[in-house]
Amino acid sequence: MDSKYQPQLVEEKNYQEWEEKGFFEAKISNKKPFSIILPPPNANADLHLGHAMYVVEDVMIRYHKLLRDEVLWLPGADHAGFETQFVFEKYLKSQGKSRFDFNRETLYQMIWNFVMDNRQNMEDQLRRLGFALDWQKKKFTMDKDIIKIVYDTFKKLYDQGLIYRAKKLVNYCTFCGTSFSDLEVVYKERKDPLFYMKYGPFTLATTRPETKFGDTGVAVNPKDKRYKKWVGQEVEIEGLIGKFKVRVVADESVDPKFGTGVVKVTPAHDFSDFETGQRHNLPMKQIIGYDGKLNKLTGPYQGLYVNEARKKVVEDLKAKGLMIKIKEDYKHRVGTCYKCGRIIEPLPKEQWFIKVRPLADSAKKLVEKEEIKIYPKRFKKILIWWLDNFRDWNISRQIVWGIRIPAYFCQSKEKWFIAVEPPVQCNICGKKDFIQDEDTFDTWFSSAQWPFATLMTVGKNNFFNYFYPTSVMETGYDILPWWVARMIMIGYYTTKKVPFKTVFLHGLVRDRSGKKMSKSKGNVINPMDMVDKYGADALRLSLIFGTKEGNDLPFFENKVIGMRNFVNKVWNIGRFIFINRQVKSEKLKVKSYNSKLKIIKDLNKEFKEEKKKYLKMMDGYRFSQALGLIYEFLWHRFADYYIEQLKGEVINGNIEALESLKEVYLENLKMLHPFAPFVTEAGWKVFNKENSSILLERLKG
RNA sequence: GGAUCGUUAGCUCAGCGGUAGAGCACUUCAUUCACAUUGAAGGGGUCGUAGGUUCAAAUCCUACACGAUCCACCA
């Protein structure tokens, strides 16, 4: 036994042993099932500290293994459609290429290979963190059987009228070349000029004068006396490419106090105007293309990017005397692409939408009735807020990397049909002139099905029934609306059961000063570096020790060092007991001993209390507190007090004392094992046979 | 505009109704005896402010201040 605990000597070896002996494998048994589906990391990059937070799941998993439940922790990888394509395009760019240099099939294949390499790497990193994942059952969001299920769900939703195709305004990033759902838009405050321009008989304020070419109406508030006489009339507007006529409509959404109380309505390029247009039957006139440039309807402005066009329009309006005044530095919020940061252009586009309301309403009931429990409690309110506020979900993405939408367009009847298997002939007209939608699904559409899709495609028939609903969904609170809410909606819709009984949310790992870690800030800490330097246990403990469930946690190397020291302490406590037992090995044959000394009684009593508290905390998801309890007990009570007090006795050959210490120590190893699997396993093996494992022990009873 | 979190020792944070805690940092001492990735002792806080509830409040309630985060179609 070395005087220092050396993680490098045990981690890889023990993990291999666990995996090879099948300790992580779940099967159907008569035991109580406990299951967690690992949130599948994106198979496009190294793990970051956020992924290391899944250690919370390993804590639950190993704890339940020690309670001797039938435990499943199912790993997977996410193809992460748009995210991955974005990463890959960056790589292409570094090679002096772009996605436009390849055809669809080639690009897809290249990304496939890229993802497979990264996936292997990512999985190895999960192993290095010590995660007790059932690798035999690993799934990928693009496995054929998963795609089949995703297609089934799509078809069922379509057949039941919950998916529709419509030309609506969508959030479109002209740089990334795809539309997004509402959640992928990040609203940022910025200062722009507010232009007051002459508009027929009115003056109105706008931040986007270049959209004037797409105006098809003018709106005022119905109660606004100033403009009452115009309502319903057609007015002639002096434009930059000639005069045009628009109808004046009265709409509640217009705030009479803002600007002049008059709004130009551009239904094709503004969400609010789109709705106004719908209410008053105003036509849509698209003047901006998907390339971000003005189109031919704008005459001489055609081909200009929106920004350039705005400058030119402003100059020309001034020249024509149509610009009345400009208020600089007007503060407002603009939607930007969450990925590239550029301004999102609302554009009309035909896409597939999920009618979310019915799904969200039933999901809300489940959460309210606590058929799904949320920890920490405060997130229940937030989840319900989201379920109340979801709008229809655009699931079409104009990217190559993803699950191709199984929708086909019949050219002769001009209708769409859905087919789970690639159709041989058109389902509508029976001929062969149909084409498949070019688009792929929003990744979250497949992710939303992950709990049931995985369990339906691993193991034998009853596997699903045995482990579903899963016990806990554990993930970061930042993806509550993206993922958790949608899993509840789609999971319940498909299986008529909740996908998980409990949601447990952890906080975000931040840097020492509480800032978000990001490459651009240069404050990123690589979890694998921490494992290399201090061992996986130290890293794991540092992510749990002293953190409050659901709160963000600052992370810094000193914290890991502190935990490394604790791990070493745990090791050396064992070493002390071990060495003394070797010395006294003849006497140990005397099996019976009783705890006559008062201090031994005190020790046993204190340990009993510790364990009772520990079990309560673990069952109540208070992992940080449970760990704090063991830390305090093992170090400051057991080592600093009891061992010191009993040292003399032990050295004088008091077998009772020595064996009492051993018993309490080994029990504490079990209790610590969920948090620090490696050092506890190593310690266990010292006192037991080399091929024994702490994972096979029982914590209760 | 709505919502959530935070404000406790120099730093980072636990505690959340009953004599102020941890880690790191700091001071002094110890050290062939499991561990210097150690031990012992110590300094350091009127627990953001103001009210309220209670025998008792860092802990519950109500305001307010400051900080952070999420959400919202002011053209």
Side-chain angles (χ1 to χ4, degrees):
Chain A
M1 222 181 158
D2 297 316
S3 69
K4 281 180 189 169
Y5 172 64
Q6 294 177 277
Q8 309 80 345
L9 297 182
V10 299
E11 291 189 351
E12 198 181 342
K13 186 166 107 355
N14 280 346
Y15 194 92
Q16 265 177 22
E17 187 186 328
W18 290 328
E19 200 179 335
E20 279 162 15
K21 288 187 174 170
F23 290 172
F24 300 157
E25 279 174 44
K27 55 182 189 300
I28 300 173
S29 73
N30 53 13
K31 294 196 277 183
K32 205 170 122 195
F34 181 86
S35 53
I36 297 179
I37 311 293
L38 177 78
N42 295 348
N44 59 26
D46 288 319
L47 294 187
H48 55 250
L49 276 171
H51 295 113
M53 278 308 288
Y54 295 145
V55 65
V56 177
E57 290 166 43
D58 201 27
V59 168
M60 293 188 246
I61 288 292
R62 288 179 183 266
Y63 175 63
H64 280 269
K65 279 184 186 286
L66 290 170
L67 296 179
R68 303 260 56 87
D69 290 340
E70 187 63 48
V71 175
L72 167 69
W73 193 15
L74 193 149
D78 197 327
H79 69 281
F82 171 67
E83 292 272 340
T84 301
Q85 184 163 320
F86 192 86
V87 170
F88 190 73
E89 281 189 48
K90 262 187 169 170
Y91 163 76
L92 282 181
K93 201 181 168 191
S94 74
Q95 308 288 306
K97 299 216 164 79
S98 95
R99 71 170 185 267
F100 303 110
D101 297 336
F102 308 94
N103 64 29
R104 182 175 187 132
E105 288 68 33
T106 312
L107 187 61
Y108 185 95
Q109 194 54 49
M110 285 164 73
I111 302 179
W112 179 274
N113 296 340
F114 172 77
V115 161
M116 285 306 131
D117 287 349
N118 274 295
R119 179 186 183 185
Q120 185 58 51
N121 175 51
M122 179 271 283
E123 289 172 355
D124 288 343
Q125 294 184 342
L126 290 172
R127 285 185 171 89
R128 294 198 60 206
L129 290 167
F131 290 1
L133 290 156
D134 187 348
W135 291 107
Q136 298 287 318
K137 301 183 181 65
K138 70 174 182 179
K139 297 297 294 183
F140 179 45
T141 51
M142 283 178 132
D143 286 345
K144 281 197 175 127
D145 46 9
I146 296 286
I147 291 177
K148 166 81 167 56
I149 287 179
V150 171
Y151 281 2
D152 285 339
T153 306
F154 181 72
K155 184 161 195 313
K156 187 179 167 196
L157 284 162
Y158 179 80
D159 290 343
Q160 301 192 344
L162 289 167
I163 277 181
Y164 62 93
R165 188 172 173 86
K167 186 169 186 178
K168 297 209 291 187
L169 276 205
V170 294
N171 306 295
Y172 197 89
C173 177
T174 55
F175 176 79
C176 296
T178 182
S179 66
F180 290 114
S181 79
D182 293 341
L183 295 181
E184 276 79 28
V185 181
V186 177
Y187 286 90
K188 282 190 187 146
E189 191 157 276
R190 33 181 286 163
K191 287 177 184 168
D192 286 306
L194 182 63
F195 303 98
Y196 284 75
M197 55 193 206
K198 189 159 164 43
Y199 205 80
F202 312 110
T203 299
L204 56 74
T206 181
T207 51
R208 300 203 59 184
E210 77 282 5
T211 61
K212 188 175 177 183
F213 304 110
D215 293 352
T216 56
V218 172
V220 297
N221 189 286
K223 290 190 190 116
D224 197 329
K225 287 177 187 151
R226 290 174 292 176
Y227 306 114
K228 208 148 203 168
K229 60 172 176 175
W230 298 102
V231 173
Q233 303 208 12
E234 287 225 317
V235 293
E236 195 177 63
I237 310 294
E238 173 88 34
L240 291 173
I241 50 170
K243 293 180 174 164
F244 62 100
K245 282 185 177 173
V246 294
R247 187 148 52 88
V248 183
V249 298
D251 198 276
E252 290 286 349
S253 71
V254 180
D255 177 1
K257 291 195 226 49
F258 185 90
T260 59
V262 184
V263 186
K264 69 189 198 66
V265 185
T266 323
H269 297 293
D270 181 280
F271 284 100
S272 160
D273 290 3
F274 176 80
E275 283 171 20
T276 308
Q278 296 262 299
R279 284 192 288 268
H280 302 281
N281 244 325
L282 299 173
M284 272 209 272
K285 188 178 170 195
Q286 181 176 354
I287 56 115
I288 300 168
Y290 304 108
D291 54 2
K293 294 176 183 169
L294 270 61
N295 67 18
K296 60 184 178 192
L297 296 179
T298 66
Y301 299 89
Q302 178 177 2
L304 292 178
Y305 281 108
V306 169
N307 283 343
E308 302 165 347
R310 184 176 307 165
K311 279 183 203 146
K312 190 162 191 314
V313 164
V314 168
E315 288 313 309
D316 295 351
L317 285 172
K318 279 182 189 164
K320 276 200 143 185
L322 292 170
M323 186 66 76
I324 294 185
K325 64 169 177 174
I326 300 173
K327 186 186 168 194
E328 297 291 340
D329 288 344
Y330 166 67
K331 256 186 6 188
H332 67 146
R333 286 158 41 88
V334 177
T336 61
C337 173
Y338 85 107
K339 203 71 211 173
C340 77
R342 291 172 177 81
I343 290 176
I344 289 286
E345 199 62 59
L347 291 174
K349 197 162 178 56
E350 207 179 291
Q351 306 272 272
W352 295 102
F353 291 89
I354 295 187
K355 205 188 270 182
V356 174
R357 289 318 320 158
L359 301 173
D361 289 340
S362 27
K364 185 186 168 185
K365 279 180 203 140
L366 300 171
V367 178
E368 277 179 336
K369 283 189 295 185
E370 303 220 332
E371 292 196 28
I372 299 176
K373 291 201 182 73
I374 316 286
Y375 293 96
K377 284 199 299 275
R378 65 188 152 95
F379 288 112
K380 179 178 171 183
K381 220 173 155 180
I382 297 173
L383 178 56
I384 287 176
W385 185 91
W386 274 107
L387 290 169
D388 275 333
N389 286 279
F390 275 125
R391 304 217 241 151
D392 284 1
W393 175 12
N394 170 208
I395 52 169
S396 297
R397 294 292 176 276
Q398 292 72 54
I399 53 172
V400 164
W401 180 244
I403 300 176
R404 184 101 176 245
I405 297 177
Y408 303 83
F409 188 68
C410 165
Q411 311 248 44
S412 49
K413 300 280 181 191
E414 303 205 323
K415 275 172 74 183
W416 288 91
F417 66 95
I418 311 297
V420 171
E421 298 293 338
V424 180
Q425 58 188 34
C426 176
N427 284 12
I428 293 170
C429 68
K431 295 183 206 147
K432 292 204 190 284
D433 55 347
F434 58 87
I435 45 168
Q436 184 172 6
D437 190 346
E438 291 285 318
D439 292 350
T440 49
F441 283 123
D442 178 1
T443 302
W444 295 108
F445 180 64
S446 50
S447 306
Q449 307 175 49
W450 196 235
F452 68 83
T454 49
L455 287 175
M456 281 173 174
T457 52
V458 294
K460 300 264 158 51
N461 296 337
N462 283 325
F463 200 83
F464 176 81
N465 293 330
Y466 181 63
F467 282 111
Y468 190 90
T470 60
S471 310
V472 180
M473 171 47 63
E474 200 283 340
T475 190
Y477 68 74
D478 54 329
I479 53 174
L480 189 69
W482 279 266
W483 199 39
V484 179
R486 286 163 171 173
M487 277 191 289
I488 299 173
M489 293 194 287
I490 306 284
Y492 184 72
Y493 171 74
T494 305
T495 66
K496 294 286 164 266
K497 282 182 183 172
V498 296
F500 29 76
K501 295 174 202 150
T502 300
V503 173
F504 185 92
L505 298 165
H506 64 245
L508 276 33
V509 184
R510 296 172 176 274
D511 76 358
R512 177 171 207 122
S513 51
K515 292 204 184 70
K516 213 170 165 178
M517 286 189 183
S518 71
K519 278 178 202 157
S520 54
K521 284 191 203 121
N523 59 354
V524 174
I525 296 178
N526 178 346
M528 291 306 127
D529 290 347
M530 295 297 106
V531 174
D532 287 339
K533 285 172 85 170
Y534 310 109
D537 287 340
L539 172 64
R540 293 165 59 112
L541 294 170
S542 70
L543 290 170
I544 294 184
F545 190 81
T547 66
K548 190 169 164 174
E549 294 76 14
N551 281 12
D552 292 351
L553 57 137
F555 185 90
F556 37 94
E557 200 160 335
N558 258 1
K559 228 167 163 174
V560 191
I561 293 172
M563 290 302 120
R564 187 270 318 262
N565 295 351
F566 173 60
V567 169
N568 188 244
K569 188 75 185 179
V570 171
W571 175 255
N572 269 291
I573 292 170
R575 184 158 183 262
F576 171 80
I577 299 170
F578 176 71
I579 289 171
N580 281 290
R581 288 181 95 240
Q582 274 192 321
V583 173
K584 311 283 181 294
S585 57
E586 334 76 68
K587 293 191 184 166
L588 286 172
K589 285 171 194 151
V590 187
K591 270 250 165 158
S592 65
Y593 53 89
N594 48 33
S595 318
K596 275 178 285 187
L597 284 170
K598 178 168 185 300
I599 189 153
I600 293 177
K601 280 187 189 157
D602 289 348
L603 167 63
N604 287 328
K605 193 178 157 209
E606 196 169 333
F607 163 69
K608 223 175 140 184
E609 282 165 11
E610 183 216 6
K611 185 163 177 183
K612 197 175 149 193
K613 278 192 204 165
Y614 166 87
L615 292 171
K616 200 177 159 194
M617 287 168 178
M618 292 297 281
D619 291 335
Y621 301 95
R622 319 268 315 224
F623 306 118
S624 179
Q625 283 200 45
L627 173 59
L629 185 75
I630 304 171
Y631 183 99
E632 170 66 19
F633 179 85
L634 266 183
W635 198 324
H636 300 301
R637 299 262 72 216
F638 190 73
D640 291 349
Y641 178 71
Y642 288 105
I643 288 187
E644 290 305 323
Q645 295 296 310
L646 287 168
K647 216 169 221 175
E649 295 286 333
V650 166
I651 288 163
N652 288 332
N654 185 332
I655 299 300
E656 287 86 351
L658 188 54
E659 290 306 278
S660 295
L661 288 173
K662 190 197 100 176
E663 293 302 321
V664 172
Y665 175 66
L666 289 182
E667 278 303 300
N668 269 276
L669 283 187
K670 288 191 216 163
M671 287 155 65
L672 183 61
H673 181 258
F675 302 93
F678 292 114
V679 71
T680 49
E681 176 76 319
W684 185 266
K685 282 181 188 294
V686 167
F687 289 92
N688 296 280
K689 287 183 185 132
E690 180 51 35
N691 65 357
S692 68
S693 173
I694 195 167
L695 257 180
L696 299 176
E697 293 302 310
R698 179 187 290 273
L699 198 49
K700 267 183 189 168

